[in-house]
Amino acid sequence: MYPKLNILLVEDSESDADLLIRHLKKEKIDFFHTRVWQKEAFINSIKDNNPDLIIADNALPQFSGMEAFHILKKEKKQIPFILVTGTVSEKLLAEYAKEGIDDYILKENLLRLPSAIEHVVSKKRVEVLHKKLEIAHKDIKDSINYAKIIQDATLPDIAMLSDIFPESFILFQPKDILSGDFYWFEKRESEIFFTIADCTGHGVPGALLAMMGNNLLNEAVNIKKIIQPSAILHRLKKTGSKNI
């Protein structure tokens, strides 16, 4: 059903703990456990033992099961939490659910415990994975947005073009955040070079090719001093094919 579980059992009654443990073993749940019943021991255990699941009795001598849950939330631990309780009103159970406990079990109905464990553990693992994916997505998006800043910095200053062609404008609307399209402009003495380029691909691959094309144009015109359009294109094709 799931890998071996590290269960933190919050229970002061040894007989109740033994009953619960025997029930879990009978249901062939693969687990090992630690039992605590004092607040300090509970706090130390969630910090040091990294349990996969907490099963807590609602009534404890020093503190309640819900207080244990509040401690868990305060420590910002994403650990599945099942509350085991005796007779309690539906209103109170509804309040517990609103506070965020993953599930609750009545002591007279331990038969539901295995399915509850499977549910809360699976749910929590999905939540943790979702959170990791959100973080990864944000990191990737932040990286792409920063790459766009770099890519935009390689584009020529439109103000320079406006000085030469006052009524000109450039419409640049990439399909993705990063673009395989780019424009390039250079003025050298009495010569004006202007390129509108469409590289194969979109996103990151297209952007890499666009930056490569920009660099190759600068090399051909500004370093190699090539002025014939056909010779510039030949230079781009020859040099670019070596770099890909």
Side-chain angles (χ1 to χ4, degrees):
M1 185 166 59
Y2 28 65
K4 192 168 188 175
L5 291 174
N6 176 9
I7 297 178
L8 175 58
L9 183 58
V10 187
E11 175 60 76
D12 64 303
S13 170
E14 187 172 351
S15 60
D16 285 351
D18 288 343
L19 178 63
L20 190 146
I21 291 168
R22 287 200 306 270
H23 183 73
L24 294 180
K25 289 180 177 179
K26 181 181 177 182
E27 295 295 329
K28 301 187 184 306
I29 293 178
D30 191 14
F31 74 99
F32 62 96
H33 78 283
T34 302
R35 184 167 75 94
V36 299
W37 55 90
Q38 295 178 334
K39 184 187 296 187
E40 185 178 353
F42 173 75
I43 294 173
N44 290 336
S45 190
I46 63 174
K47 288 182 177 180
D48 301 334
N49 295 337
N50 195 29
D52 300 311
L53 171 68
I54 296 173
I55 302 176
D57 189 355
N58 191 36
L60 299 165
Q62 289 191 356
F63 72 128
S64 68
M66 283 307 295
E67 188 176 351
F69 177 70
H70 294 152
I71 292 171
L72 188 70
K73 289 179 67 175
K74 184 178 179 180
E75 295 292 333
K76 297 182 179 180
K77 297 287 187 178
Q78 299 297 315
I79 304 172
F81 188 96
I82 296 178
L83 186 71
V84 178
T85 182
T87 304
V88 65
S89 68
E90 290 293 332
K91 181 180 179 181
L92 191 56
L93 288 175
E95 290 179 2
Y96 291 168
K98 286 181 181 178
E99 290 196 51
I101 64 171
D102 296 288
D103 207 341
Y104 63 87
I105 299 292
L106 297 178
K107 288 186 177 180
E108 61 188 29
N109 189 24
L110 289 180
L111 290 175
R112 200 176 73 81
L113 185 56
S115 60
I117 290 175
E118 181 176 14
H119 171 71
V120 300
V121 171
S122 298
K123 178 184 175 184
K124 193 63 66 174
R125 284 175 176 163
V126 169
E127 289 175 355
V128 170
L129 179 59
H130 181 70
K131 185 66 176 179
K132 288 181 179 179
L133 289 174
E134 282 186 338
I135 294 172
H137 177 265
K138 183 181 182 301
D139 289 344
I140 292 172
K141 190 172 181 179
D142 288 347
S143 179
I144 289 176
N145 285 332
Y146 188 72
K148 175 176 172 54
I149 294 175
I150 297 174
Q151 185 181 37
D152 289 346
T154 66
L155 298 174
D157 186 356
I158 297 178
M160 294 176 58
L161 182 63
S162 298
D163 288 342
I164 301 174
F165 303 108
E167 297 183 3
S168 65
F169 69 94
I170 293 177
L171 180 63
F172 184 60
Q173 295 181 323
K175 174 179 178 292
D176 298 315
I177 296 175
L178 294 175
S179 176
D181 303 331
F182 72 100
Y183 55 92
W184 180 85
F185 170 77
E186 184 68 38
K187 182 178 184 301
R188 194 178 66 195
E189 298 177 356
S190 62
E191 298 164 331
I192 298 172
F193 301 86
F194 191 83
T195 299
I196 298 175
D198 181 3
C199 296
T200 301
H202 299 283
V204 174
L208 291 173
L209 289 175
M211 294 186 72
M212 182 185 296
N214 190 300
N215 291 335
L216 292 176
L217 282 169
N218 282 321
E219 180 191 41
V221 174
N222 296 321
I223 297 177
K224 298 299 182 181
K225 308 299 183 182
I226 303 173
I227 60 173
Q228 293 296 329
S230 59
I232 294 173
L233 290 174
H234 179 74
R235 175 72 184 181
L236 260 65
K237 180 180 180 181
K238 180 180 179 181
T239 309
S241 61
K242 291 181 179 179
N243 294 326
I244 297 178

